[in-house]
Amino acid sequence: MSVSLLWAVDVYGRVYSLSTGGQQWEQCHDAVLEFKRVTAVQQCCWGIACDHHIYLNVHSSDVPIRYQEETYENQRWNPKDNFSDHLLPSDRWHWSDITGLEHQPLDSFLLPSTNWEWEGDWYIDENFGGEPTEKGGWTYALDFPATYIKDKKWNSCVRRRRWIRYRRYKATDTWAKIPSEGHSGPLPDPFNDISCGGWEISEEPRGRLSLWAVSLQGKVWFREGIHHHSPEGEGWEEVSLPGEVVQISCGPGDLVWAVLWEGQLIVREGITRDCPQGSSWVVVDSPNPEAGAIHVAVGDNVVWAVTKDNKVWFRRGINSHNPCGSGWIGMVGEMVMVNVGLNDQVWGISCVDRAVYFRQGVTSSELSGKAWKAVNVPRDGDIRSHSSASISIGACPSSPPPEPPPIDPDVPKPRIPKVTSDSFISEMLSDREVKQEGATAATTASPSIPEEEVALGEPEAMCLPPWSNVDLEETQTHLAVGLSSVATYTLCQGEPYGADEHPLWAWVSGGGCGVNFWTLLSLPALASSVQSMSLSISPAQTAAWRKQIFEQLSERSKREMDHFKHYEQSVWVKKGTMQWWRDWKPHKWVDVRFALEQFSGPEGNQDGILFLYYNFNEEKKYLHAFINEVTILVPVLNDSKHTFAIYTAERTKQRWPIRLAAATELALLSVSCCDSRGIQGPPSKQAIWSVTCKGDIFVCEPSPSLEACPYPTPCDQMFWRQVGGHLRLVECNSLGVVWGVGYDHTAWVYTGYGGGFFQDNIFTQTDVKCVYIYENQRWNPVTGYTNRGLPTDRYMWSDATGLQECTKANAKPPSPHWTWVADWTIDYGISGGTDREGWQYAADFPRSYHGHKTLKDFVRRRRWARKCKLTTTGPWQEVPPIPLSDVTIVLCGAQSSVEPIPLWAISNKGDVLCRLGVTLLTPAGTSWLHVGTDQPFKSISIGGANQVWAIARDGSAFYRGSVSSESPAGDCWYHIPCPERQKLQQVSVGRTSVYTVDQNGNLWFRQGLTPSYPQGSSWEHICNNVRKVSVGPLDQVWIIADKVQGSHSLSCGTVCHRLGVQPMEPKGQSWDYGIGGGWDHITVRGNSIEAPRVRMPSLTPSLTSSLTDPLRPPPPRSLLPVMVTEMENGNAVRC
Amino acid sequence: MADDKDVLRDVWFGRIPTCFTLYQDEITEREAEPFYLLLPRMSYLTLVTDKVKKHFLKVMKAEDIEEMWFDFEGTSLKWHYPIGLLFDLHASNTALPWSITVHFKNFPKCDLLHCPSNSVIEAHFMSSIKEADALKHKSQVINDMQKKDHKQLWMGLQNDKFDQFWAMNRKLMEYPTEEGGFRYIPFRIYLTMSDRPFIQKLFRPISPDGHTHTLGDLLKEVYPVAIPNDDESKRYQVVIHGIEPLLETPLQWLSEHLSHPDNFLHISVIPAPSD
């Protein structure tokens, strides 16, 4: 979980923040003024100070906010001056924007506010569409405006070049004043309330926010133009109102509610991507006609309100189609204000003690939560006097409940159904006498195990009425009870403070605080104080009783087992039914019986056979698989079943697995397969990791002969086992540092635990991805575009191919593990561009689509996206906060556990980042160092001797110069031209080899790399149909290939191994095909196990430094055999 | 052996060599050979005797077969007790292999529960675990688990997967540090010479004044007869998993390490051999 902040203001106007990882409220000492209110989102916090001005506090990040200004210098050729600044009168300006319409001299660019600074001076961009230009960065054309090319031709009459300069937002982690200016001068009256949200309305532009403010006169203002590159926004726009507003609240999505002076509430309607400020207001009555509303707080799907009598209300029936909801429900507790944070979690300030409360038990299925719980955390000023208090936000809602009030153990209580109903057997078999015994036991036990408490986990929860049927009368009675218990609670939890130093809070904002249901769940009621078993026994390590047990157990083994080894081991037979994807046509799922027979072999190794019994033409038949021959079990996504495929080496060749559907047997089979191969524990440092296109993660322990030449272990015999978690890619090195990136771009680091199917349910991991469907329409002369297509047309709602019907109603998440987390939205980010409604046009289906309608277009389509979320477990911990799109870890290198390990990454916005502080002990590192680039990047790889290669989004390659342990970020980029007419996609750098894959699936090898010229000379084509390449520390080459032929079918996404790669022949000769059918990623960068080979005696053991000295570029190819020998001596074959 | 985790492994992988012979009065078509098997101590008889059944069915007529049951020297063996407990209780000081008689007729309804399928064993096993957790954690841990987690416990036992079982079971073995142990220790004491099947009472791992309770403390409280007096020779053996832990062994440690998969500490108190 990333560290995020809860913000609050106390009654003296001091601003505090509490980190989810922190232990105390930290006062924001930077705030010169006292503040009235704050409203936080993840990246920043807005506030109103006592001068009624608005201030902005942007949290600093490892990647700065920088904006690229650009302008073009234009020139025309004339016979006298050659190219010169003398343009024709009809021409564009000498300095202009890209279109030529705006006059833009260099000195016309000013910093938007004092919160910005220039990064450097103007410079010429010498990169043109991924190609380096000749000196000066000029591009040539026949005339303005025309197509520009990088080479001057005989008919080139004009030329232009691009100048760029970066500005950077500098006012981070400080309160920067926002000038209160509207379109026509300063705003007439000061501000009174403020609310920030709306980041879910649109992803374009990046980091877009809605900021709503209320003035003292009750007017509402909307701040325009806030997004990542413009954190301050551009100006205020007044929003017309049906009355005077006192307070406003804006959720992450399109919910905006406000409170009127008269006590009614108003709801903003018509908020869309194109119109984030909405169009109209709808009035909603106060929950209580006698006491009007004074405060409202909205989230994604919830609205909470407070009335003048401090009662708290929950609005029922809110959803994206009905922002007004359907009715009020009175809640327990009296609050002065409430605030809805991320994930609809609710925070409030009690009017009884002015403490910050957290609403416990808010989940997506129970948005109203269960109970208020005080957040009793000391302020940074208090901590010295009260060192005992150490409750952080994360822990506080889940800290152990206080002991229930002591109950006289002699009072008989009704028996506990939960326990007795489950122990029906004990009851059945107990004879009369025992029944009495049991009854006494239960009677004594019951006072401390009341069932309600067991179910709800908290005493005060008992007081809460179920929210669905609360009426006002009842609420009154319950309120008293509820409050009294809240009060008790505070008393027993509030020890850190003396009576007078109890902090009195005025305002709280949880909009940037990522406490959610899952983080709470992952800290179960016991977790805060639970220790592991091994700790509990350590003092007793040497006790006599312990020794006695060890001795007796080993005696017992001798006595009972040693002489009877020849006895047959019990055979565990697991029988049941599954569904099997039938081998013959028509293929379909058929019910089959199965039996898994497992037994221990003579040497204690476990083995087994899986039998499947089916009928073929009325004839009983069976299919079997030896567990020790299974090479992989692959979960296959299916929207209604848990299905998986079983491969053996033979079936990998055929591309024809056994496909089964069964709920729980996959786990069992996985364990059996590992047992039969004697594999247990976490993956080794040398492990090969791969990821399927469904995000499942597999590891393979490489055998020493995997990279043998000429007879390597065949690829299809590699045994893969699954590791918990869900990732889009994973990268590792041979020191055991492993990082992954999720589909939602979250970075994860491998914790070193786990391995087996069951041992790695250690950490919760989530991932989010989108499901896409297409809405297709055809134009007809009468009605224009309609959803009535031609009979031959595709479905009007379909998948991308148009062959499958996919409607909003019938589209399902990818598998039962995924759940929807949002509604369908139009996807504007599809390649080819869209119009304002998201449509893409084409002459006919299926053609190439473009984002504007032309006369020749008769069909159009648009893409709808819906987010779904997976919550799983795995040995991964999040590396917040920057989302990544690629990551790479240096090959070999550091050996000591504190030596830094170079790790580079690309953020999902294309920034190049270098991770600092990565060591064997701290594989997650400490912080990011931003490496400046002129354009966004997409792929990066760091090979032997710190060679860093990267691919920019425009498809060109770059080499980073002078990277070393002293200068981990290097000094400058060298632009490497792409192969002719190809845009590169991905790069992988081995010990010395550099391979890239382009967008058309071609694999390229970099020729001519030498120590003096590490950039190499040219690209050499190796093969096509390649998706990904991974080059390892032995310069071994592995790819994910498409269109691999098997004896039964064609396989896309197949793991392939380059054969014949040798020091003198780094390109290898041919491919060996392994597991396939939906593989997306592989990394062999951990495997430094060299195959045993004959050493060449004549070679001198020089060049020892070539591997360890990062400053030294790789040796020339002719010396490579030496290095190989070196590897053998150094870190070869530890197995 | 250094690690307490090895105790868990040793306990889990305990096996009892067993010789199954068909009851002499069963009608067979030809003579039934005895069947030799290593029985896992942690499992249940009906869960691991598929092969035994198959073996004897070969020599019997289908119409002569009713529900299979077992006895040892005339004592019907309750399948719902763990195998190790049955052995400790009834056959501790007899020669190995353990000789069990197999019956297919005259099911002793008053002594034994029927076991028509593995799901009955599962229900019994899970109810024991739940009962144990009610004692240990007011059922909080078991209730926090999902259905699949419950399944994992059962599958771990059923398929003899130590890691699978313990990955989940360790959660049931956790407790808040400051409390020093479970709320109550789930235990059952079995006596061969008594009519009542077992003794079960509420007993805390820590005394009110903060001392660690030992096995001896438990016996003193619950069944003082089992503790030898200073001057007389040992009359009873207190056996768990075929071993006799010292009476000063902390009860909490025993509960964490020597409990059966059903999370109960099954303690057999048997007469000491006279010789």
Side-chain angles (χ1 to χ4, degrees):
Chain A
M1 178 181 140
S2 66
V3 171
S4 56
L5 298 175
L6 177 71
W7 289 81
V9 183
D10 71 5
V11 292
Y12 306 107
R14 292 178 296 213
V15 182
Y16 288 85
S17 64
L18 174 59
S19 153
T20 40
Q23 312 252 317
Q24 55 174 343
W25 288 103
E26 301 277 356
Q27 189 177 352
C28 197
H29 291 290
D30 170 72
V32 188
L33 297 160
E34 280 84 52
F35 273 69
K36 287 159 60 91
R37 284 180 184 182
V38 288
T39 174
V41 293
Q42 269 168 317
Q43 64 266 42
C44 64
C45 182
W46 296 79
I48 300 179
C50 61
D51 62 357
H52 294 286
H53 278 292
I54 288 181
Y55 288 79
L56 168 64
N57 189 336
V58 177
H59 307 331
S60 65
S61 149
D62 290 335
V63 180
I65 297 172
R66 46 204 301 266
Y67 182 76
Q68 177 187 283
E69 299 279 16
E70 64 166 29
T71 190
Y72 283 85
E73 181 183 4
N74 305 302
Q75 289 189 341
R76 179 174 283 281
W77 185 87
N78 68 51
K80 183 164 139 269
D81 306 322
N82 210 335
F83 278 104
S84 77
D85 301 346
H86 300 295
L87 293 148
L88 295 179
S90 59
D91 272 345
R92 53 186 60 193
W93 309 92
H94 173 213
W95 292 91
S96 74
D97 70 347
I98 190 168
T99 61
L101 302 175
E102 290 281 335
H103 183 207
Q104 282 189 346
L106 293 179
D107 55 12
S108 71
F109 288 87
L110 299 175
L111 291 171
S113 74
T114 53
N115 300 328
W116 292 82
E117 64 187 1
W118 291 111
E119 255 184 16
D121 206 350
W122 289 97
Y123 64 95
I124 295 159
D125 177 21
E126 296 192 346
N127 178 13
F128 178 67
E131 297 284 316
T133 56
E134 280 166 35
K135 216 167 171 9
W138 293 103
T139 58
Y140 297 84
L142 185 60
D143 195 4
F144 299 118
T147 314
Y148 297 87
I149 52 171
K150 76 183 176 81
D151 298 313
K152 186 164 83 173
K153 292 217 170 126
W154 63 271
N155 60 355
S156 299
C157 292
V158 298
R159 66 176 188 180
R160 71 172 187 185
R161 60 180 173 182
R162 188 165 84 122
W163 291 73
I164 48 186
R165 188 181 194 186
Y166 283 95
R167 59 180 158 88
R168 181 196 290 256
Y169 188 79
K170 64 174 181 184
T172 53
D173 287 340
T174 180
W175 293 99
K177 188 169 173 179
I178 303 297
S180 64
E181 289 193 4
H183 289 298
S184 48
L187 294 188
D189 62 333
F191 288 111
N192 187 39
D193 187 39
I194 190 170
S195 182
C196 188
W199 60 85
E200 283 174 4
I201 294 175
S202 167
E203 283 169 10
E204 285 295 321
R206 174 154 73 90
R208 206 206 66 82
L209 291 174
S210 294
L211 182 70
W212 298 77
V214 178
S215 72
L216 279 179
Q217 289 177 21
K219 289 182 177 160
V220 168
W221 302 84
F222 181 81
R223 182 90 182 159
E224 291 182 316
I226 306 177
H227 55 87
H228 175 75
H229 284 126
S230 169
E232 307 145 289
E234 277 153 17
W236 293 104
E237 188 194 350
E238 188 172 349
V239 179
S240 61
L241 286 171
E244 284 180 18
V245 168
V246 273
Q247 188 256 332
I248 196 162
S249 178
C250 164
D254 52 9
L255 268 190
V256 175
W257 283 53
V259 182
L260 296 179
W261 271 110
E262 291 78 23
Q264 302 101 316
L265 296 117
I266 51 175
V267 183
R268 193 67 177 167
E269 293 202 321
I271 293 177
T272 63
R273 178 175 177 272
D274 295 321
C275 181
Q277 64 271 52
S279 53
S280 59
W281 297 101
V282 178
V283 177
V284 169
D285 280 332
S286 165
N288 181 352
E290 273 93 64
I294 49 162
H295 187 95
V296 68
V298 307
D300 253 321
N301 287 304
V302 297
V303 174
W304 292 70
V306 179
T307 45
K308 290 196 172 104
D309 49 4
N310 295 122
K311 297 254 157 61
V312 180
W313 303 83
F314 176 81
R315 186 76 177 171
R316 194 166 44 189
I318 302 276
N319 59 49
S320 56
H321 308 294
N322 183 14
C324 296
S326 52
W328 293 103
I329 300 167
M331 306 306 284
V332 171
E334 295 196 348
M335 297 282 164
V336 281
M337 63 89 64
V338 288
N339 182 271
V340 180
L342 295 180
N343 307 307
D344 286 340
Q345 300 297 314
V346 183
W347 308 85
I349 293 176
S350 159
C351 68
V352 179
D353 56 1
R354 286 270 177 178
V356 172
Y357 278 75
F358 172 70
R359 185 78 184 167
Q360 200 173 34
V362 174
T363 66
S364 55
S365 54
E366 193 172 2
L367 288 164
S368 58
K370 289 204 166 95
W372 294 106
K373 182 137 191 182
V375 177
N376 280 324
V377 179
R379 291 165 295 181
D380 49 2
D382 306 330
I383 195 96
R384 266 163 276 114
S385 44
H386 302 285
S387 54
S388 64
S390 61
I391 309 166
S392 65
I393 306 183
C396 136
S398 53
S399 58
E403 276 295 308
I407 299 170
D408 185 357
D410 296 323
V411 179
K413 284 280 163 94
R415 291 193 72 182
I416 318 132
K418 194 144 241 142
V419 178
T420 47
S421 66
D422 286 332
S423 53
F424 70 101
I425 291 181
S426 359
E427 213 162 57
M428 279 161 58
L429 59 98
S430 309
D431 52 32
R432 313 294 159 295
E433 215 179 331
V434 174
K435 229 171 193 168
Q436 274 186 345
E437 169 94 37
T440 15
T443 322
T444 13
S446 51
S448 33
I449 324 169
E451 191 210 10
E452 298 87 344
E453 194 183 316
V454 167
L456 295 170
E458 197 182 5
E460 76 193 61
M462 283 189 282
C463 315
L464 276 186
W467 64 270
S468 49
N469 54 3
V470 182
D471 65 35
L472 290 176
E473 302 279 321
E474 256 183 21
T475 313
Q476 298 301 326
T477 58
H478 281 297
L479 256 178
V481 190
L483 273 182
S484 69
S485 89
V486 168
T488 343
Y489 220 92
T490 322
L491 278 179
C492 64
Q493 287 249 314
E495 295 126 346
Y497 300 105
D500 31 275
E501 52 183 320
H502 199 292
L504 301 173
W505 297 107
W507 199 261
V508 62
S509 176
C513 184
V515 174
N516 68 24
F517 177 63
W518 291 107
T519 54
L520 296 181
L521 257 200
S522 64
L523 304 158
L526 295 161
S528 56
S529 50
V530 159
Q531 37 69 71
S532 74
M533 287 171 18
S534 54
L535 278 177
S536 69
I537 48 88
S538 45
Q541 289 291 323
T542 51
W545 57 262
R546 191 170 173 277
K547 212 170 134 203
Q548 168 96 352
I549 283 175
F550 279 85
E551 282 171 8
Q552 289 196 15
L553 275 173
S554 96
E555 264 170 42
R556 186 194 79 172
S557 310
K558 265 194 212 117
R559 184 175 71 231
E560 296 182 354
M561 288 154 72
D562 280 7
H563 300 299
F564 302 95
K565 287 233 165 109
H566 57 285
Y567 274 41
E568 188 164 355
Q569 288 274 351
S570 295
V571 173
W572 282 268
V573 184
K574 158 100 184 154
K575 288 178 185 166
T577 55
M578 308 181 162
Q579 286 190 307
W580 174 54
W581 187 251
R582 185 164 95 168
D583 255 348
W584 63 90
K585 283 183 179 165
H587 295 299
K588 61 175 185 184
W589 291 106
V590 290
D591 291 326
V592 293
R593 284 183 306 111
F594 78 91
L596 174 64
E597 285 197 15
Q598 296 182 85
F599 40 88
S600 301
E603 279 90 45
N605 55 321
Q606 299 237 330
D607 208 348
I609 312 173
L610 175 70
F611 294 94
L612 296 170
Y613 303 95
Y614 62 94
N615 290 314
F616 181 72
N617 293 337
E618 310 284 304
E619 195 183 331
K620 283 189 177 171
K621 293 196 158 194
Y622 74 90
L623 185 76
H624 70 279
F626 291 102
I627 293 299
N628 65 6
E629 288 182 359
V630 172
T631 53
I632 187 168
L633 298 158
V634 192
V636 180
L637 289 197
N638 180 304
D639 55 20
S640 56
K641 294 182 204 302
H642 295 268
T643 71
F644 59 95
I646 301 179
Y647 282 91
T648 57
E650 190 52 36
R651 286 183 176 273
T652 302
K653 282 195 192 80
Q654 297 170 348
R655 308 279 160 217
W656 194 248
I658 303 174
R659 294 177 63 187
L660 297 171
T664 53
E665 278 71 16
L666 174 59
L668 169 64
L669 284 170
S670 300
V671 173
S672 301
C673 288
C674 288
D675 282 351
S676 78
R677 291 175 184 258
I679 292 177
Q680 55 175 339
S684 73
K685 293 175 176 182
Q686 259 65 40
I688 297 176
W689 296 71
S690 69
V691 181
T692 67
C693 58
K694 314 297 183 196
D696 291 319
I697 307 153
F698 290 90
V699 286
C700 168
E701 296 300 334
S703 66
S705 55
L706 189 60
E707 299 297 342
C709 198
Y711 301 113
T713 308
C715 232
D716 52 25
Q717 288 180 11
M718 294 162 73
F719 173 69
W720 296 91
R721 58 180 166 142
Q722 196 172 352
V723 172
H726 187 267
L727 294 172
R728 191 173 54 80
L729 63 87
V730 62
E731 280 296 334
C732 64
N733 74 354
S734 48
L735 302 173
V737 177
V738 184
W739 280 50
V741 176
Y743 276 75
D744 60 359
H745 298 289
T746 307
W748 300 90
V749 65
Y750 175 62
T751 55
Y753 298 110
F757 208 88
F758 294 104
Q759 288 132 48
D760 45 25
N761 42 4
I762 295 168
F763 301 110
T764 299
Q765 189 185 26
T766 60
D767 209 349
V768 175
K769 66 179 183 181
C770 282
V771 170
Y772 298 104
I773 59 171
Y774 290 82
E775 181 181 6
N776 306 299
Q777 294 193 339
R778 178 171 287 278
W779 186 85
N780 75 58
V782 188
T783 50
Y785 281 104
T786 66
N787 54 9
R788 274 198 306 275
L790 299 177
T792 57
D793 270 349
R794 56 183 54 198
Y795 293 102
M796 289 295 106
W797 289 88
S798 75
D799 66 352
T801 63
L803 301 174
Q804 285 263 287
E805 181 167 30
C806 293
T807 63
K808 283 185 184 175
N810 76 9
K812 288 185 182 154
S815 81
H817 302 293
W818 292 81
T819 51
W820 295 124
V821 288
D823 208 348
W824 289 104
T825 54
I826 295 168
D827 181 14
Y828 299 88
I830 186 168
S831 69
T834 70
D835 69 3
R836 285 173 64 83
E837 290 178 311
W839 292 104
Q840 295 190 300
Y841 297 83
D844 197 1
F845 300 117
R847 294 282 166 81
S848 72
Y849 299 87
H850 41 261
H852 53 276
K853 182 175 158 33
T854 67
L855 280 178
K856 282 183 263 175
D857 293 328
F858 290 97
V859 299
R860 64 178 186 179
R861 69 166 191 187
R862 62 178 166 184
R863 186 159 84 165
W864 291 78
R866 190 172 188 189
K867 277 186 184 159
C868 52
K869 182 173 182 177
L870 173 77
T871 303
T872 178
T873 53
W876 306 95
Q877 272 189 321
E878 187 178 344
V879 185
I882 297 182
L884 301 183
S885 66
D886 195 15
V887 67
T888 180
I889 307 162
V890 78
L891 292 171
C892 301
Q895 293 296 335
S896 87
S897 56
V898 289
E899 217 168 304
I901 297 169
L903 183 150
W904 290 60
I906 309 278
S907 81
N908 72 331
K909 281 133 198 170
D911 303 296
V912 176
L913 305 165
C914 184
R915 189 74 176 170
L916 302 179
V918 178
T919 66
L920 280 181
L921 292 177
T922 55
T926 50
S927 62
W928 291 109
L929 179 67
H930 180 239
V931 179
T933 58
D934 287 342
Q935 54 174 322
F937 275 46
K938 60 183 172 188
S939 171
I940 195 157
S941 184
I942 174 164
N946 284 316
Q947 309 167 76
V948 176
W949 286 68
I951 308 289
R953 287 222 180 130
D954 68 6
S956 54
F958 286 87
Y959 174 82
R960 184 79 180 169
S962 308
V963 180
S964 68
S965 52
E966 288 77 33
S967 162
D971 61 359
C972 64
W973 292 106
Y974 294 94
H975 189 231
I976 313 277
C978 318
E980 190 80 14
R981 288 191 305 281
Q982 301 293 347
K983 291 190 179 307
L984 295 176
Q985 179 74 21
Q986 189 238 330
V987 63
S988 186
V989 186
R991 188 179 41 175
T992 55
S993 297
V994 176
Y995 278 83
T996 57
V997 176
D998 71 28
Q999 288 177 345
N1000 295 320
N1002 296 302
L1003 180 67
W1004 302 89
F1005 170 75
R1006 189 69 181 170
Q1007 283 279 15
L1009 302 170
T1010 65
S1012 54
Y1013 196 64
Q1015 296 97 314
S1017 54
S1018 64
W1019 295 107
E1020 184 176 342
H1021 188 253
I1022 302 293
C1023 71
N1024 57 2
N1025 286 328
V1026 177
R1027 265 193 214 186
K1028 277 266 171 70
V1029 62
S1030 180
V1031 187
L1034 309 170
D1035 277 338
Q1036 73 267 42
V1037 182
W1038 291 68
I1039 57 166
I1040 302 292
D1042 280 334
K1043 297 185 188 159
V1044 170
Q1045 187 74 48
S1047 56
H1048 267 78
S1049 64
L1050 208 62
S1051 164
C1052 284
T1054 304
V1055 170
C1056 303
H1057 178 203
R1058 190 71 177 168
L1059 299 180
V1061 174
Q1062 290 191 68
M1064 298 302 287
E1065 199 166 348
K1067 289 175 294 184
Q1069 283 149 349
S1070 61
W1071 295 106
D1072 181 27
Y1073 305 110
I1075 186 65
W1079 254 252
D1080 217 21
H1081 186 88
I1082 186 167
T1083 179
V1084 295
R1085 296 169 66 83
N1087 183 17
S1088 56
I1089 305 178
E1090 190 123 1
R1093 69 165 80 203
V1094 186
R1095 288 183 59 182
M1096 287 173 256
S1098 63
L1099 293 166
T1100 49
S1102 65
L1103 273 176
T1104 322
S1105 61
S1106 65
L1107 283 171
T1108 47
D1109 181 1
L1111 280 171
R1112 190 151 174 174
R1117 296 229 162 259
S1118 58
L1119 286 173
L1120 274 168
V1122 186
M1123 291 184 55
V1124 171
T1125 352
E1126 198 53 47
M1127 291 286 286
E1128 245 176 64
N1129 289 335
N1131 61 351
V1133 216
R1134 264 186 228 106
C1135 51
Chain B
M1 208 190 292
D3 193 352
D4 281 354
K5 205 176 172 198
D6 297 333
V7 175
L8 300 181
R9 278 194 173 271
D10 269 23
V11 165
W12 180 275
F13 290 105
R15 297 284 186 272
I16 300 165
T18 311
C19 171
F20 289 92
T21 41
L22 194 60
Y23 182 53
Q24 55 202 11
D25 290 358
E26 299 282 346
I27 303 154
T28 58
E29 292 183 308
R30 52 181 191 276
E31 198 184 339
E33 296 282 326
F35 191 80
Y36 295 92
L37 198 61
L38 287 174
L39 289 180
R41 275 180 163 269
M42 303 299 253
S43 196
Y44 296 93
L45 268 178
T46 40
L47 198 56
V48 292
T49 45
D50 269 10
K51 279 227 151 174
V52 178
K53 191 170 181 180
K54 231 184 245 173
H55 173 84
F56 290 116
L57 291 192
K58 280 188 284 193
V59 298
M60 294 179 69
K61 284 196 191 137
E63 64 263 30
D64 294 328
I65 296 159
E66 290 161 24
E67 187 171 351
M68 179 170 66
W69 59 280
F70 306 95
D71 85 69
F72 170 70
E73 294 182 349
T75 312
S76 321
L77 297 175
K78 296 180 166 71
W79 64 259
H80 60 268
Y81 285 6
I83 291 168
L85 168 66
L86 289 172
F87 178 80
D88 292 346
L89 198 57
H90 303 302
S92 262
N93 297 303
T94 59
L96 289 171
W98 187 17
S99 183
I100 291 183
T101 310
V102 183
H103 300 256
F104 287 94
K105 276 219 158 62
N106 303 323
F107 190 88
K109 267 180 280 198
C110 45
D111 293 335
L112 300 184
L113 294 171
H114 284 287
C115 181
S117 75
N118 284 1
S119 60
V120 177
I121 313 174
E122 179 179 356
H124 165 67
F125 171 71
M126 287 314 299
S127 75
S128 294
I129 284 200
K130 287 175 185 172
E131 187 179 345
D133 200 54
L135 294 166
K136 291 198 283 195
H137 308 112
K138 304 184 196 173
S139 299
Q140 275 169 350
V141 179
I142 194 81
N143 286 347
D144 275 354
M145 287 185 183
Q146 297 172 343
K147 181 83 188 145
K148 71 170 170 61
D149 301 338
H150 291 180
K151 207 77 190 166
Q152 184 175 330
L153 287 166
W154 166 244
M155 299 287 270
L157 175 73
Q158 191 188 12
N159 300 302
D160 194 36
K161 300 294 178 210
F162 175 82
D163 289 332
Q164 178 178 7
F165 176 80
W166 270 99
M168 202 43 70
N169 196 51
R170 64 180 176 158
K171 295 185 185 169
L172 293 167
M173 290 298 176
E174 289 172 343
Y175 55 86
T177 329
E178 66 273 11
E179 284 170 25
F182 303 136
R183 277 180 73 252
Y184 297 107
I185 298 291
F187 72 91
R188 284 175 185 162
I189 295 180
Y190 300 81
L191 314 163
T192 36
M193 49 287 169
S194 160
D195 284 341
R196 49 203 258 189
F198 53 78
I199 305 172
Q200 184 179 349
K201 283 187 176 164
L202 292 182
F203 195 81
R204 292 189 185 267
I206 308 287
S207 69
D209 53 0
H211 287 90
T212 309
H213 275 148
T214 63
L215 179 61
D217 296 332
L218 173 73
L219 290 169
K220 223 175 280 167
E221 165 91 19
V222 177
Y223 193 65
V225 186
I227 298 173
N229 295 327
D230 295 336
D231 45 351
E232 63 179 354
S233 63
K234 194 165 79 170
R235 286 195 298 154
Y236 293 100
Q237 284 181 304
V238 178
V239 181
I240 311 173
H241 294 295
I243 64 170
E244 292 180 73
L246 293 180
L247 290 180
E248 59 260 36
T249 312
L251 204 54
Q252 175 67 29
W253 190 95
L254 282 177
S255 185
E256 285 173 48
H257 296 87
L258 294 193
S259 282
H260 272 266
D262 65 7
N263 273 260
F264 271 91
L265 199 53
H266 294 286
I267 304 167
S268 307
V269 178
I270 53 172
S274 45
D275 46 22

